[in-house]
Amino acid sequence: MNYRHAFHAGNFADVLKHAVLARILVYLGRKDAGYHVIDSHAGIGLYDLAADEALRTGEWEGGVGRIRAARLSPALGDWLAPWQAALRAVNGGDDLLVYPGSPVIATALGRLQDRYHFNELHPQDAETLSALFAGDRRVRVVSEDGYITVRAQLPPRERRGVVVIDPPFEEPGEFDRLLRAVHDAHKRFATGCLLIWYPIKDIAAVDAFLKGAAEVGYPRLVAIEQWVREPRGDGPLSGAGVLCANPPFMLADETEAILPELIRLLAVDEGAGGRVLRLAEDS
Ligand SMILES: C[S@@+](CC[C@H](N)C(=O)[O-])C[C@H]1O[C@@H](n2cnc3c(N)ncnc32)[C@H](O)[C@@H]1O
């Protein structure tokens, strides 16, 4: 377990993943009834952008940093608004000192009636995460394998919520494990939202994963992908995607409308691009 998200927090891939997560949470929050968030690979929750790890890669500057420096169109501003609200909540205003990871975005946008199950396998990171949420009675932090946690927690008693699966892709076979998790989630919690992050390195592996996911049986299934340079198998991460089952109804349309601007803003070279894939009939 070498992957440390502190080197990457706030990069272009986090922008897409966290902006979509924030939109899902706002959608779930439209009903008063509480919802449940299960985050299987949660990380440490909050990342200091002046810390050594962030300074060494400077990745956040090509992600959240560029968004913050840009003048956004009204459409992209609206699309990013829930995520930006979480950024402001944890920074106490418009300064950008810390970057919130998925668990902190979730709780920042949540309400008293919502519940959170955060899992992180790395023992030290799990402790850091646990300390961050000490005193927040909505949150439970555990430390076990992320896929085991997903199976064990579904379905949540609220019967509403989102499962976030964001593995580090350090070990071979991650797409196979993800596909099994899509099957598990559908079997146990077919009406729940699912948000899965994946890197775009091996395009054949991505396509096989998406094809497999499309066969699981979700009525609405959308993949959103963005690459900041021509996707390559080696070197730094060029692109990433999120697969969303049961997403907010307008997610595909709204994302299609803003994606060209987001691609331009975060592009590293002219090979940058992106796509929205509707993988099921009602998407
Ligand atoms: C990409 S990071 C998570 C970032 C976080 N979801 C966010 O968006 O802020 C992946 C995390 O998974 C943890 N991890 C690695 N293997 C795991 C496993 N088998 N189960 C659960 N967590 C694992 C790593 O320690 C790392 O913190």
Side-chain angles (χ1 to χ4, degrees):
M1 285 181 65
N2 294 319
Y3 181 92
R4 324 296 301 158
H5 198 63
F7 290 98
H8 312 290
N11 70 2
F12 78 91
D14 264 8
V15 172
L16 178 67
K17 170 180 62 185
H18 292 153
V20 171
L21 171 62
R23 292 194 73 77
I24 291 172
L25 294 165
V26 167
Y27 164 75
L28 288 169
R30 285 201 195 131
K31 283 193 184 154
D32 282 342
Y35 58 76
H36 194 58
V37 177
I38 296 164
D39 191 338
S40 63
H41 297 70
I44 60 171
L46 206 53
Y47 300 90
D48 178 357
L49 295 177
D52 189 45
E53 293 93 328
L55 291 175
R56 264 163 57 188
T57 64
E59 283 192 26
W60 70 270
E61 290 171 40
V64 64
R66 284 206 195 176
I67 301 277
R68 273 306 175 86
R71 187 186 292 265
L72 306 177
S73 71
L76 183 58
D78 283 354
W79 194 84
L80 292 173
W83 169 69
Q84 299 254 42
L87 292 187
R88 273 195 294 278
V90 299
N91 282 285
D94 282 333
D95 288 344
L96 194 58
L97 308 170
V98 289
Y99 183 79
S102 48
V104 171
I105 288 177
T107 50
L109 297 175
R111 308 154 308 166
L112 283 176
Q113 63 269 44
D114 303 323
R115 281 195 309 135
Y116 303 90
H117 178 96
F118 297 145
N119 178 71
E120 167 54 51
L121 185 60
H122 193 288
Q124 221 176 318
D125 289 1
E127 247 176 57
T128 306
L129 189 64
S130 199
L132 185 65
F133 288 111
D136 188 336
R137 297 179 58 189
R138 303 170 303 169
V139 175
R140 187 151 64 123
V141 175
V142 297
S143 187
E144 61 184 1
D145 176 70
Y147 296 102
I148 289 177
T149 246
V150 169
R151 270 198 299 279
Q153 295 305 313
L154 295 183
R157 68 165 185 261
E158 293 85 350
R159 304 277 162 164
R160 321 181 50 230
V162 56
V163 180
V164 181
I165 308 181
D166 180 16
F169 277 81
E170 279 184 314
E171 306 282 338
E174 201 73 89
F175 276 120
D176 296 337
R177 288 189 286 281
L178 279 177
L179 189 55
R180 273 201 298 278
V182 179
H183 279 280
D184 279 344
H186 183 259
K187 194 162 112 198
R188 290 160 200 253
F189 187 34
T191 55
C193 300
L194 185 59
L195 179 65
I196 289 179
W197 181 90
Y198 56 88
I200 302 177
K201 285 191 167 181
D202 177 349
I203 292 176
V206 169
D207 287 346
F209 167 62
L210 296 180
K211 184 168 178 287
E215 287 164 2
V216 170
Y218 280 102
R220 283 183 298 124
L221 190 69
V222 173
I224 304 167
E225 298 183 343
Q226 180 177 18
W227 47 97
V228 293
R229 57 175 87 77
E230 193 65 46
R232 285 174 39 174
D234 54 353
L237 185 68
S238 313
V242 285
L243 175 70
C244 311
N246 295 323
F249 282 94
M250 296 303 289
L251 184 73
D253 287 351
E254 289 166 352
T255 306
E256 255 163 9
I258 60 84
L259 196 57
E261 183 180 350
L262 191 63
I263 290 166
R264 274 198 307 280
L265 259 176
L266 301 182
V268 170
D269 65 29
E270 63 286 352
R275 58 182 186 170
V276 175
L277 297 168
R278 295 161 198 260
L279 299 168
E281 241 170 57
D282 298 333
S283 310

